[in-house]
Amino acid sequence: MAEQPEILKIDGPFGQREVKLSSASKVLWPDDGAGPVTKRGLADYLLSVSDAFLHLNGHRPMTLQRFPEGIEGEEFFSKRPPRGAPDFLRTVMCTYPSGRRHEQLVFDEPADLAWAAQMGTVTFHPWPVREDDVDNPDELRIDLDPQPGTDFKDAVKAAHVLREVMAEVGLKAYAKTSGNRGVHVFARIKPTHEFQHVRHGVIGIARELERRMPDLVTTSWWKEERGQRVFVDFNQANRDRTIAAAYSPRPLPGAPVSMPVRWEDLDDVEPRQFTVHTAPAVVQGRGCAWADIDDEAGVVDGALELWEKDLERGLGELNFPPDYPKMPGEPPRVPPSKRRADKDDDDYLAPKAERDAEWGTAVVPPFGPMLAKPVKKLPKGDYLFEPKWDGFRSIIWRSGDAVEIGSRNERPMTRYFPELVEAIIENFPDHSVIDGEIIMIDPETGDRLNFDALQQRIHPAASRIEKLSKLMPASFVAFDVLALGMDNYTERPFKERRKALEKALKKAKPPIFLTQATTDEPTAMGWFEQFEGAGLDGVIAKPLDEVYQEDKRVLYKLKHERTADCVVAGYRLYKGETEAIGSLLLGLYTDDGVLNSVGVIGSFPMERRRELFEELQPLVDDSDAHPWAEIAAAQRTPTSAQHSRWNAKKDLSFVPLRPERVVEVKYDHMEGDRFRHTAQFVRWRDDREPESCTYDQLEEPLSYDLDKVLSGGD
């Protein structure tokens, strides 16, 4: 006689649900010593840990790994809601790497788990996002995967050091067994960055862990390079890549589960001790080891700083999974042993990435800007000259209502400028990629640029961003076009790109502007002299026949160069050194005798940095008499902000020096009462008295109406 279905009545936040459980006695895990696990046994387990399970995995898109005939039978992954799913099951729309979109299940009550058991779900794979923001992860996940020759204990050793690295970048780490041989380490993060940025943060952390434990840990994607080490699987941070959920069973003998554990218990854990049979008692007796994880949300910025530092070291992108579209900057998808010396990287690339289709443009993000090299005078020949704007360089993509505002470091700035997003949708052609500069018209005077005010727009709080977008709206000045639809303008000479840009923005209205341009050198030099009074930075010369070259310095920039005599009133140490100067802090006296901090000089050879440290030790002043020892409310000093607004972890503390030495420096222009950029050392001026170093010596450009610059003089 056929087994009759059971009707489970399950209480939950939305009332009582009924779930039909058919073939409840079907064995999913054969007896491995502790007894078999049936479908009913699986449902009982999931219901017993449902509070902890849903606390950590609820309200997330969920992929189900199903074994209808048990773990020894056929398996398949279920992403879409199957036919006949109960009406109470909810879904959320997800976008996949290919650009496809479809709905995935979201679990938020115990009855959902019982239904999953009915469907033969063994392993649950939640996305690292919540249903209200499926594009920005709120979990940073790292999978420590022991390779042949290593085991769980090796993964535990790596996990402890990983915890230290994560703490150093502001993330509180939580550990769980994988249910197999590895260890999973998670951190709750604020959902401020999209998948690729979180993946880069994971890579930054992974590489730092590898540096600290090179004999035990590897980030090598290719198995032939891993050796007997623990692999840090950074690709689990990709979109549509998941790790087994906390408390999820695994399709292995004995019915092990992926179990959250406290750090103090991790060393004594055996990977298979937590099973469908044993885990409920642990949760009931000790509670969830990750109970406070939602209260410990950090930011991924510190991890991204590790990524940025590795870029400076020459370390770039790492490989993506084989079923992923070819991604920008990715190394060839071929094991090193199979690479051929006579083939370029491009010969290994897959066809054009499906990600292109998301924008409908020939150029897709991220894409680096074409750069300029400094010159002493404008070059001769076929050039177009433009004013050099002083703001944030940005390549902007627009496709329908989708906008991405790129930056020099390839991190999108879209969220910081909501008012520009609206203006871009209104003024840019659909499916376009335009290069330019985000600028800030001084919110008080309205007649010049204000870079300090622009910097204030980079703020983590959404409420503050919204407020500043109304009080201090930004503008965008366009000066090049990279793509219009699938027409790739980067392959065309600049004279064609300029004509296309003029046509594309012919009807543009503020805050979108088209930069002035001229082929007449005397006119350009007139701009060079006049426009500085409106806060501009110089003049750019662009070869008319040059194609757009990403990250290449093929343009020319003429900037103002001036000198000033400044007081050296302090220093900062060079990063990682205890007896080498990183930068010298410069000061100028006001008319009332206050020594203001005006900037730094910091470009010295390492040998000279150590010499300067020795030279300046007799001037170290720890007394309260130092002019910067006490912060006055209206006075700008280095101690008025101990950390950079761009880098919360960057130490800006300094060592005070008696203000007795004078140095001559080169600078381009002032922003308020400070040098706009880092100054350059020229020479010591032992013939000058410190008190003579005042603002009066600085050349002040004649003011010029910014509106005339933006409007082309009309």
Side-chain angles (χ1 to χ4, degrees), residues 256-303:
V257 303
S258 182
M259 188 71 175
V261 295
R262 295 177 175 84
W263 285 103
E264 58 266 32
D265 298 330
L266 186 59
D267 287 329
D268 299 322
V269 164
E270 293 296 331
R272 298 295 182 90
Q273 77 182 71
F274 302 112
T275 70
V276 167
H277 301 288
T278 63
V282 176
V283 175
Q284 184 177 6
R286 301 182 185 177
C288 176
W290 292 12
D292 66 339
I293 190 171
D294 288 335
D295 300 327
E296 300 292 342
V299 294
V300 76
D301 296 1

Side-chain angles (χ1 to χ4, degrees), residues 6 43 75 146 165 179 185 217 246 297 301 399 428 438 450 483 513 577 589 592 615 619 640 648 676 704:
E6 294 184 38
E75 68 169 303
V165 174
V185 180
V217 170
D301 296 1
S399 178
F428 277 27
I438 299 172
N450 189 325
F513 300 92
E577 297 285 338
Y589 283 99
D592 55 2
E615 291 177 20
L619 295 178
S640 62
R676 167 66 177 83
Y704 192 86

Side-chain angles (χ1 to χ4, degrees), residues 500-522:
L501 181 64
E502 291 173 352
K503 182 178 179 180
L505 297 182
K506 184 177 181 179
K507 297 181 180 180
K509 298 177 181 179
I512 305 299
F513 300 92
L514 175 66
T515 191
Q516 291 192 59
T518 182
T519 56
D520 183 60
E521 182 181 340

Side-chain angles (χ1 to χ4, degrees), residues 56-62 92-94 106 126-139 141 188 191 193-195 239:
L56 300 179
N57 306 304
H59 303 282
R60 301 181 182 279
M62 188 77 73
V92 65
M93 186 66 70
C94 294
V106 174
W127 283 39
V129 298
R130 299 285 189 179
E131 60 183 315
D132 57 356
D133 187 354
V134 295
D135 294 316
N136 293 310
D138 74 330
E139 271 185 352
R141 303 170 171 179
R188 183 73 77 242
H193 291 73
E194 61 112 22
F195 280 90
R239 181 185 291 271

